[in-house]
Amino acid sequence: MGWLSDVPSEIITLINDYIQTSSLSLVCQMFWITLKFHYVTFASNVTTEDIDTFAKCNIRALYITDTPIHTLAPLFGSTSLTTLSINFSFSKIADHTLEILNTIPSLTFLSLDLNHNELESTHVASFGAYANLKNLSLDLGCNMIGKEGVASMVEGLSKSTTLQSLHLNFYNNALRTTHCLALLHSINSLTDLDLDISCNQITDLEGIGHFQYFQSLKQLRVDLSDNALPDTQMHHLGELKECASLTSLDLVLTGNNIGDLGTLDLKELATIPTLATLSLSLAGNAIGDAGAKVLAQIYVASTNWPPFGVNVYLLDNPIGVDGAVALSSARQQKSRASQGKQKGRPNKRKRN
């Protein structure tokens, strides 16, 4: 039983006795199986006595669903706990419930699913206090969080010096501006950012424009679908061309009011010198033939050296024959280049 060497013998005896009782449930069996590997899953019928027992073990990872968070307090003081995943969607959690999460000192991975609750702001602004946190996923979709709550959270996140991967979901909240997101670029260690701010009636993208100042970011995905964004805000997305370390860029812009003028700014993204893949989802906008011809130039630019992958989605736009022909021709040129039918090394991509 060397793999249980750091679990006290009295705890092993206690658990063995416990799981032999007639009240044994599937959840209790799961406790015992996962405890052997220091990974524990809690479900809704966990008792306070259960928690007190397992708090004495050297647990490294917790996966929690539908368990009152205050019940788990004895576990959060563990210096061995590095991975925490909590699903509290549809739980009517209020802001103060989350304060206890700020007491976990050793986390490197944290995932919180808090969608469809009653959150108006958050008390998780002190994420920067987690000195070792490297991966953070926060699903806060379908709440009532406005710019003040997001600004408070981002201010805390901006203090992190170790965070490498960040996923933030603010789908269908009360955001009207992206100013509250601007400080994310201060996380110098961040290499992967996935941001969902769709369905928020956002009217400006200035905060996203600040992402050009990221120092180490390599992968960026921003979902801005269904926000009624106009052409006049696309220049802020064009500013991302200055993000010199970016290798993968995915912008979801479906269901907005982007027309031909806005495509001129989006075309600038093809000048990012380190880019390996570019994806633009522009379905359900107001792009016509002129805009389609502009976007076709991205496919042409992608054949320059070094080449990069391109996906431009334009379903449900008023594109006519001329625009369709321009796109088709550009895609064929891209396909031929990808198959090595063009000889020699093309010209380098140039910044304007």
Side-chain angles (χ1 to χ4, degrees):
M1 299 183 68
W3 38 265
L4 282 175
S5 59
D6 53 353
V7 178
S9 58
E10 61 270 21
I11 298 298
I12 297 175
T13 302
L14 186 154
I15 296 175
N16 271 324
D17 292 342
Y18 182 59
I19 65 175
Q20 313 248 343
T21 65
S22 58
S23 60
L24 174 63
S25 68
L26 179 62
V27 173
C28 296
Q29 295 179 49
M30 188 181 302
F31 280 174
W32 183 225
I33 294 171
T34 55
L35 179 64
K36 293 179 182 180
F37 301 97
H38 312 292
Y39 292 84
V40 177
T41 300
F42 290 107
S44 55
N45 55 346
V46 175
T47 67
T48 302
E49 290 74 18
D50 294 331
I51 301 300
D52 288 339
T53 297
F54 287 98
K56 301 174 183 179
C57 301
N58 192 23
I59 296 173
R60 297 172 188 167
L62 287 177
Y63 302 89
I64 304 166
T65 302
D66 299 327
T67 301
I69 197 168
H70 64 272
T71 305
L72 303 172
L75 294 167
F76 291 162
S78 171
T79 57
S80 62
L81 187 60
T82 60
T83 299
L84 177 62
S85 179
I86 300 178
N87 185 345
F88 284 153
S89 57
F90 296 91
S91 298
K92 296 184 179 180
I93 288 179
D95 299 344
H96 65 275
T97 312
L98 303 175
E99 292 179 343
I100 194 172
L101 298 178
N102 297 332
T103 64
I104 311 172
S106 54
L107 285 181
T108 59
F109 177 94
L110 176 61
S111 175
L112 293 176
D113 187 343
L114 297 165
N115 71 78
H116 290 86
N117 278 284
E118 299 175 351
L119 297 172
E120 295 182 1
S121 62
T122 69
H123 289 123
V124 290
S126 60
F127 279 123
Y130 296 122
N132 299 313
L133 195 63
K134 295 181 180 179
N135 191 312
L136 175 62
S137 177
L138 297 175
D139 186 346
L140 294 162
C142 297
N143 282 284
M144 299 174 287
I145 302 172
K147 62 181 182 180
E148 294 82 6
V150 174
S152 176
M153 177 183 296
V154 168
E155 183 179 1
L157 291 173
S158 68
K159 300 174 184 176
S160 173
T161 59
T162 58
L163 193 60
Q164 297 174 4
S165 178
L166 176 62
H167 176 201
L168 296 176
N169 181 4
F170 293 111
Y171 163 80
N172 193 21
N173 273 275
L175 292 178
R176 300 294 181 268
T177 173
T178 61
H179 286 275
C180 51
L181 297 165
L183 276 179
L184 285 175
H185 79 268
S186 300
I187 310 176
N188 294 331
S189 56
L190 200 64
T191 60
D192 183 0
L193 174 60
D194 188 335
L195 178 64
D196 187 341
I197 47 177
S198 57
C199 300
N200 273 282
Q201 298 182 0
I202 290 173
T203 57
D204 86 88
L205 295 177
E206 184 176 351
I208 302 296
H210 283 263
F211 289 1
Q212 65 180 291
Y213 302 117
F214 270 112
Q215 295 184 10
S216 304
L217 194 68
K218 296 185 180 301
Q219 299 182 69
L220 174 61
R221 181 182 185 274
V222 183
D223 190 339
L224 287 157
S225 56
D226 298 309
N227 276 297
L229 290 165
D231 280 336
T232 53
Q233 291 299 310
M234 293 304 102
H235 72 279
H236 292 301
L237 296 181
E239 291 170 352
L240 293 175
K241 68 180 181 181
E242 301 298 334
C243 194
S245 60
L246 208 58
T247 60
S248 176
L249 177 59
D250 184 355
L251 297 179
V252 183
L253 295 161
T254 58
N256 284 286
N257 294 325
I258 303 167
D260 295 338
L261 184 62
T263 62
L264 294 171
D265 293 308
L266 295 176
K267 184 190 70 171
E268 296 301 305
L269 299 173
T271 65
I272 300 174
T274 54
L275 203 60
T277 58
L278 173 63
S279 178
L280 298 175
S281 299
L282 291 160
N285 279 280
I287 297 170
D289 284 349
K293 292 177 181 179
V294 171
L295 294 172
Q297 297 176 40
I298 295 179
Y299 283 96
V300 176
S302 71
T303 64
N304 291 338
W305 188 263
F308 60 95
V310 178
N311 286 298
V312 180
Y313 303 96
L314 290 163
L315 187 68
D316 294 329
N317 279 279
I319 297 173
V321 174
D322 289 348
V325 169
L327 285 167
S328 178
S329 176
R331 286 167 175 163
Q332 289 177 15
Q333 180 177 340
K334 169 66 174 175
S335 179
R336 289 194 300 268
S338 298
Q339 295 172 11
K341 292 182 178 180
Q342 291 182 345
K343 297 181 179 180
R345 178 175 288 189
N347 295 327
K348 292 184 178 180
R349 276 177 260 158
K350 297 180 180 179
R351 291 182 179 274
N352 290 339

